[in-house]
Amino acid sequence: MRQIDLSGKTAIVTGSSQGIGLETAKTLHAAGANLVINYFDDGEGKNRALADAAVADFGDRGLACAADVRQPDQLEAMVSKAVEKFGSLDILVNNAGILRDKSFRKMSHEDWQAVIDTNLTGVFNSCKAAVESLSENGVIVNVSSLSAVTGFFGQANYATAKAGVMTFTKVLSKELARKNIRVNAVAPGVVNTEMGESIPEENRKYMMTQIPLARFAEPSEISDVILFLCSDLSSYVTGQTIHVNGGWWA
Ligand SMILES: NC(=O)c1ccc[n+]([C@@H]2O[C@H](COP(=O)([O-])OP(=O)(O)OC[C@H]3O[C@@H](n4cnc5c(N)ncnc54)[C@H](O)[C@@H]3O)[C@@H](O)[C@H]2O)c1
């Protein structure tokens, strides 16, 4: 049976000090990759401490690196550090994201812009910073959301950004195919992370009734699909969004 082996490959996972990003970093590391844990420096040291703890477990195959995905220069510096330490860049997982849920009438321009800047422009920024350094046969995986196709109430900003990520994924897959770089996305439903748990209890109860598998996802159920997309087992898959949502299409 073919096994996934990412030995000698280097991956950057944005926003990976916690949640789906951290689980993805651990999963790719366990498959042999060198890992750059990108964290957002929140000024309180929380994300840095989480990133440092993860990297301590990764030994020589880990590097913690602060960068705000809204800041192209910080992302360029991170890519340079990754290549300097590990010699190549082969995998980019664009995972960083935020929520600022409000109904449209209550949503401020700032709520709109913050989510577009982080969840959509942030993906553009990190691809831009990485593209010239990504090796031939490199891989990009973007984290979208079920909300991109359902348009959940209160998520005009988030759903729009995540739909943009899906379309961006298709365009980039065509443009980077000549370098044999594959570009795909995963679109989770609700996942048991800080973000998933921030959804009001009443909404979570209703959502649960819509999910055929009748539960939310564990982060590892998303990171396993990302691992597949980062591996040669998906060598003919590009431009796709893989929906990981327990069968939920409401
Ligand atoms: N949890 C869910 O239910 C769910 C569902 C669908 C999609 N997603 C998506 O999955 C991804 C991960 O979400 P999660 O559930 O792990 O949430 P989370 O809130 O636990 O993690 C988000 C991470 O992004 C980081 N981040 C935020 N702004 C950043 C910035 N400007 N620069 C760098 N990093 C930044 C945070 O510090 C954090 O580490 C997000 O893109 C999210 O939209 C989550």
Side-chain angles (χ1 to χ4, degrees), residues 15 27-28 30 37 64 70 86 90 92 108 115 130 143 166 192 197 210 212 227:
T27 303
L28 299 180
I37 297 264
R70 296 167 300 179
F86 297 120
D90 310 282
L92 171 65
S108 66
V115 171
V143 181
M166 278 187 189
N192 291 321
E197 282 154 16
Q210 302 301 301
L227 172 66

Side-chain angles (χ1 to χ4, degrees), residues 105-125:
R105 289 170 125 162
K106 291 183 184 152
M107 188 175 285
S108 66
H109 289 275
E110 289 73 26
D111 294 327
W112 170 267
Q113 205 58 51
V115 171
I116 298 295
D117 286 351
T118 301
N119 296 13
L120 180 57
T121 311
V123 176
F124 172 88
N125 290 340

